[in-house]
Amino acid sequence: LAGGALFSHQIFDKDPIFYVVGARDYAGHDAEWLRSRARALAICDQVSIIDKSEDIDILLLAGPQAEATLMSVVDKPNIISELNFLKFSLTPITVAGISGVTVARVSFTGEAGFELHLPASHSAHLFEALSKLPSVQLFGSHATNSLRLEKGFKVKGDLDYAR
């Protein structure tokens, strides 16, 4: 598409795997678009596109105390302190007693933040544990959207309206 955007994603290279993260609302659309591109490029035998959006949840921990808070409940704090912005830890860690969590240093709020990627079956338990910490205050998607707009971060929905 000339001058258009189809979707906005974070792409983490986990050689030989690319882990693509986008908006859950567009997961089906995005997976099908990637599959159509693989078909058009005749590379279906070389790539596998697997939609894991029902299997993986992402919790966001953001704000000026995010790093200290996260480091206080992980089994490998050095992994957290070594992450740079837009980097993804390939090493699963244990967060607040929940194992198998991978961490991305990213946030749509404009503040320091971390995305915690984990099996959907464990996300409620991790949410409960994190929400009990005194440094954690809950905020919703509308707050996140207003903060990301303030920071100038665009998502596909913004681009749809801009056309």
Side-chain angles (χ1 to χ4, degrees), residues 129-163:
L130 293 174
S131 65
K132 291 177 182 173
L133 297 173
S135 58
V136 172
Q137 301 232 344
L138 302 179
F139 61 94
S141 60
H142 292 296
T144 303
N145 275 331
S146 65
L147 291 168
R148 74 162 177 82
L149 285 170
E150 218 173 73
K151 192 68 176 176
F153 295 149
K154 303 274 190 241
V155 296
K156 185 182 183 319
D158 300 332
L159 301 171
D160 287 345
Y161 291 116
R163 290 184 197 211

Side-chain angles (χ1 to χ4, degrees), residues 29-106:
H29 165 272
D30 297 347
E32 184 49 41
W33 185 86
L34 290 169
R35 286 184 191 104
S36 73
R37 297 309 309 145
R39 286 189 299 271
L41 297 170
I43 58 170
C44 290
D45 59 335
Q46 299 170 44
V47 299
S48 296
I49 298 165
I50 304 166
D51 182 355
K52 304 286 276 181
S53 57
E54 296 299 320
D55 303 326
I56 298 172
D57 278 345
I58 302 172
L59 300 178
L60 173 64
L61 189 62
Q65 297 178 25
E67 184 171 351
T69 298
L70 186 56
M71 287 179 67
S72 75
V73 295
V74 298
D75 65 334
K76 298 176 184 169
N78 61 310
I79 288 177
I80 304 305
S81 63
E82 293 169 3
L83 279 177
N84 295 319
F85 188 64
L86 291 179
K87 295 296 178 186
F88 189 76
S89 168
L90 301 179
T91 305
I93 61 174
T94 298
V95 180
I98 307 296
S99 61
V101 179
T102 51
V103 181
R105 180 74 185 249
V106 64

